[in-house]
Every structure is written in C-alpha cells, then in structure tokens.
Amino acid sequence: MRDDLSDVRGVLQEAFGQVRLDVSVEEIEAMGRTRRARRRVVTTAGACAAVAALAFAVPGGGGGTAPPTQAGDSTGAGAVHVRTAAYTVDTKTDGTIHVTWDKGRYFADHAGLERALNQARFPVLIKVGEFCRGPHDGELDPSGVGPGVDKVMRGERAGDGRVTFVFTPSAMPKGKQLFIGYLDAEQLQVTHGRPGSVERLVPTDEPLTCTTQTPPRHR
C-alpha cells in the first residue's frame, strides 16, 4: 500500500491537474461567461433553475430539508451534508469530511465549497489565480503540495471519473488552515494543468503573502 504522502501527491497531480486537461480553456471561459449572464438575468425562471442547480444546503443538524444520507454519514449536531452539481460534502461519523468532485464541473463553485468546508469545521481558504503563503511556510513539492498537507487530506480516485478527498479536521495543526489556490485559465495555459492547483498549510494568525505568479510547470 502506498504511503499517505505518495497517495496525496498522485491524486492531486492526476485529479486536480487532469480536470483541467479534460476541460479546455475555451470551455472554462465559456462557463465564466455563462455564470456572469446568469447573474444578470437571475430574476428569470431559467436563471433561477441554474442557480438552484449550484446552490447547496447545509442542514447543520437542524433546519431545512437534509439531503439523503449515506452509510457512515453523521447526523449529529454540526454535521454537514451538501449536494451540488459540482461536488458533495459529507461529515462522517469518524469526524472526517468527504468531498467528492465531478471532474467536469469541480471548478464551478469555489466559494460554495469554501463555505461548506468551514461550516463543517475544517478551516480552508480558497482562491483562484492567487497563491498565498505564511512567513514560515515550507516550499511546495513539484506537484504543488506543501509540507503537512498529507496529514489533513488524502485523495481517492474512482473509475467513473469522480475524485474523493478526505479531510481530517482533528489533524489540522493549531493556528493553521488549508490553502487551495486554483490556477486560472491564463495560468493553466502556462502549466498545461501540471500543476493545476497549489495546496499548502498557512497560518490563521499571521499575515499571508499572496502572488499571482504562476507556479513552475511540473513535467
């Protein structure tokens, strides 16, 4: 069995990266134009349906109609169960959080994913086209993963093209959060999806330095 670090590196490289290889830059830009158009016509019935497709429900142990639970899902106070067109987020009875992505649409709602993970008590900061680090953070490996990431998340691939990441809030060091920086369309033209994102642990109580400089391409 591969160790956790090797598994995370492999999944991040092949899943995060290949998502962008499977979806062209033109398709990403087209989706962006579509989302802007939806905002302008949000009062129409068609736009309302599109927004509903990307909206998520966070029951949190009460209020609203909870999505159907699966084996191992927690139903206790603070549990989060989210269903969107791009991903699902589920709190498990062992305290971990399982996030399952659809490869073709996982980039559609970064803000929603950030809110869902924070609601599930997993501290995360997500940006697009911008990459942040703290004053004492270590260097990234060639696949865009920083030290300690393997302790708080691990990845699993399925044959149907879906990718599941398991987040462990209890393993997050005190004063730290997970930073995920997705490359935008222009940056992806430089790296060709390798890496397609940056993941590192950054402080919550110290200033972060952020840059739009594209990470080096990993061959």
Side-chain angles (χ1 to χ4, degrees), residues 123-175:
V124 63
L125 173 65
I126 299 177
K127 291 182 177 292
V128 180
E130 193 173 0
F131 314 102
C132 301
R133 64 180 298 169
H136 307 295
D137 294 338
E139 298 300 320
L140 301 172
D141 70 15
S143 61
V145 181
V149 171
D150 60 303
K151 299 296 190 295
V152 300
M153 66 179 291
R154 59 183 173 85
E156 301 170 352
R157 292 185 298 273
D160 62 357
R162 295 183 73 83
V163 179
T164 297
F165 287 95
V166 180
F167 297 88
T168 307
S170 62
M172 182 68 72
K174 184 178 180 180

